[in-house]
Structure formats: C-alpha cells, structure tokens
Amino acid sequence: MECNGCEFHSELYYDSEYQIWLRREHDDSLTVGMTDISQTIAGKILHVRVRRPGTIREPGKPVATIESGKWAGPIPNFIHCVILEGNIEVLENPVLLNSDPYNAWIARVEASAGVDAALEAFLTGDEAHEGYCRRARDEDIHCQRKVR
Amino acid sequence: MSADVDHYLDNDEKTVVIVMTSGPSTPQRCATPFYLGAIMASMDVEVHVFFTMEGVRLMQRGVAESFAAMEDGKKIIDFIRDAKRAGVTLHVCQPALPGYKIDEDNDLIEEVDHVSRASVLADLVLRSDNVITF
C-alpha cells in the first residue's frame, strides 16, 4: 500500500506524525523502525546509534540517534520502555533504513507498562493509513527507497 | 566493520554550550553548530546555543531563510528547526542586538527561547561540561 510512493503497512502501529512504526512481537516486545516518510526526509542515512541494552527510556527520551548528510536527530520515543537490542545489521549498514525501511528495524524494546497499554496511543489500520496519506499529501512528500 | 565498534550509546547526561558568533558573512560556518547541537540533544545532552556578535543575525526574521552553508544546500532555518525539534535551547544576546538594529520585541524568529544578558552566558558556561565556539 502506498501514498505518494510512500510505502505503508496497515498491520503496524504509528505515532501521530508517522515518524516511527512499532510492531508487536510474539514475546510481547516491540520492534521500532523509521517510516518511509521519515527516511525520505532524512536522506541517505550515514550513522545510527542505539541506547545500550538494559537502558530505561522515558517518553521523550530517544531510543536512537540518526545522522544523514543533511539531518541529525533522534528516533523519537513515546513510551516508557527498556532497550532490549539494536539491529546490528542496520547499525553496521545504516543505509538499509533508506532502501528497506519496514524490514530494517532499529531496536527492540520492552514496554514497562505492558504492550497493550503502550500501543493505545498509536495509530493503526485504516485510521493510520488515512493520516499517513494526509501527511504525505499535505507536505508533498514523495518517497524514494533507493540510496541517494 | 570490526566487531569491536561500539554502536551503543550510554553517556551520562551532560550540559554543553555552543557559543555562536558566526553569521551570514561566513555562511559555511552556520550549519554545523545546529547539526551538532541536534545530534547531542538527541543523545540526552542538554544543549544551549548562545548567539552573540554577528551570530544574533541568524535569529533575525528573514535572515536564516535566505541562505545556506553551501551552494544549493539546505537553508539555515531548516537546520535551526531540526535543532529545536531535537530539544536544543536558543538564547540571543540582548546587548548585541542594538549593534545590528534588531528589535527584540519585533524582529526575532519564533524559534528563539530566551533573550539573555551576558550574565546568563556566564552562568551557562560555568555550569556546563563543555563549551564549543563557532
């Protein structure tokens, strides 16, 4: 499913600005990644660093930092969680976030208050699709998943 | 890449002050402080950028929108906004404003957090872990 060429996965959970996606895993951990919109805005990603496993992160305290040629900043975090692991494949080859943003996850975290409570504030399904398309359309974002 | 490269962050929280004296006359010096500030803020560093001397012109309405650090590059205002989104605090030096005919009530961009006296800069420098100047 796409909007302005921006890939969208209806089974995932999204923040209200569609910066990150979350996926519930079988062990009730959460996987965190960047959306196609975010990787497009960032440009070619050159460096990723994740908080060390075991670190407690409060809402507003980033899970990871990203550097591209024209942008540096956080992978935002909206939940109280503990870092479980970073994706070593992405840490060693960050441009995977550009080429395959929904497979190239960044980190896995454990939500302190449980996964159901954590996901309550996120959007999914048709509602997320509508908002995702609205952002792409309103900001005239046309996604590219090739390495620039 | 070697296996001993450390991809993980575990720095303690620190405070860093960036003293920004460069302005539109040296455009190539006007993006890095914001890029560096953004990455440090996203690493849980408390980052303050204090604009003084020609640096105050970057906080003047219309100026940072008008130029880039390199030809056809991203405008300085966009670097400023990235830094703000990451949590950087922006101070403008009040004593420097009259020299550039900048009215603190009408001429500053909305991204400015504080119009501060030199004593604020002194306090920031004295309590910070590191000071960087551009």
Side-chain angles (χ1 to χ4, degrees):
Chain A
M1 204 181 288
E2 289 194 351
C3 299
N4 275 10
C6 300
E7 193 177 332
F8 175 82
H9 290 221
S10 59
E11 76 279 12
L12 300 175
Y13 290 80
Y14 299 85
D15 67 287
S16 61
E17 294 184 16
Y18 305 96
Q19 303 166 90
I20 62 163
W21 55 261
L22 295 176
R23 186 176 64 220
R24 180 202 290 260
E25 302 299 342
H26 295 304
D27 61 358
D28 267 355
S29 65
L30 288 168
T31 297
V32 183
M34 280 179 104
T35 63
D36 201 2
I37 284 177
S38 282
Q39 71 80 16
T40 297
I41 292 171
K44 184 179 178 181
I45 294 168
L46 304 173
H47 197 53
V48 182
R49 293 179 81 191
V50 174
R51 281 278 152 189
R52 191 170 296 283
T55 309
I56 295 171
R57 306 307 288 158
E58 298 170 6
K61 296 288 188 183
V63 166
T65 64
I66 298 282
E67 287 181 69
S68 69
K70 60 181 182 179
W71 181 82
I75 293 296
N77 170 45
F78 304 93
I79 60 175
H80 196 287
C81 64
V82 178
I83 304 291
L84 298 176
E85 63 174 328
N87 182 354
I88 197 70
E89 200 179 352
V90 163
L91 294 173
E92 293 190 348
N93 189 16
V95 80
L96 290 172
L97 293 170
N98 296 112
S99 58
D100 195 5
Y102 295 98
N103 284 314
W105 55 276
I106 295 172
R108 288 214 167 90
V109 304
E110 180 180 9
S112 306
V115 69
D116 290 326
L119 290 174
E120 274 177 12
F122 291 85
L123 302 164
T124 192
D126 291 343
E127 186 183 11
H129 184 236
E130 190 179 321
Y132 188 85
C133 290
R134 189 182 315 118
R135 180 165 184 210
R137 189 174 57 241
D138 291 352
E139 298 182 27
D140 199 25
I141 299 166
H142 296 265
C143 292
Q144 299 177 51
R145 286 176 294 281
K146 61 186 178 187
V147 177
R148 294 169 292 275
Chain B
M1 190 175 283
S2 66
D4 61 354
V5 172
D6 192 351
H7 296 295
Y8 290 109
L9 289 163
D10 58 359
N11 53 297
D12 294 330
E13 294 195 14
K14 289 180 178 293
T15 302
V16 169
V17 178
I18 296 173
V19 182
M20 182 61 175
T21 62
S22 300
S25 69
T26 51
Q28 72 278 12
R29 300 178 65 85
C30 291
T32 303
F34 303 107
Y35 188 92
L36 181 61
I39 196 73
M40 286 195 294
S42 68
M43 293 164 72
D44 282 355
V45 176
E46 181 184 322
V47 182
H48 297 263
V49 181
F50 195 100
F51 298 89
T52 189
M53 303 178 194
E54 201 200 351
V56 298
R57 290 218 59 218
L58 298 182
M59 297 292 102
Q60 185 176 9
R61 195 170 287 149
V63 173
E65 289 93 329
S66 67
F67 74 104
M70 61 180 73
E71 197 174 332
D72 298 325
K74 188 164 107 173
K75 292 285 193 283
I76 300 303
I77 189 69
D78 293 319
F79 280 99
I80 292 171
R81 288 174 179 154
D82 289 344
K84 285 286 294 186
R85 273 193 287 272
V88 172
T89 301
L90 304 182
H91 302 256
V92 177
C93 179
Q94 188 180 48
L97 294 176
Y100 296 92
K101 296 184 170 41
I102 298 171
D103 181 330
E104 68 176 272
D105 294 322
N106 298 307
D107 297 339
L108 297 176
I109 60 175
E110 62 186 33
E111 283 76 11
V112 172
D113 292 294
H114 304 287
V115 178
S116 301
R117 304 287 307 174
S119 57
V120 172
L121 175 58
D123 285 341
L124 287 171
V125 166
L126 291 171
R127 75 175 174 86
S128 70
D129 296 289
N130 293 94
V131 178
I132 303 168
T133 58
F134 285 92

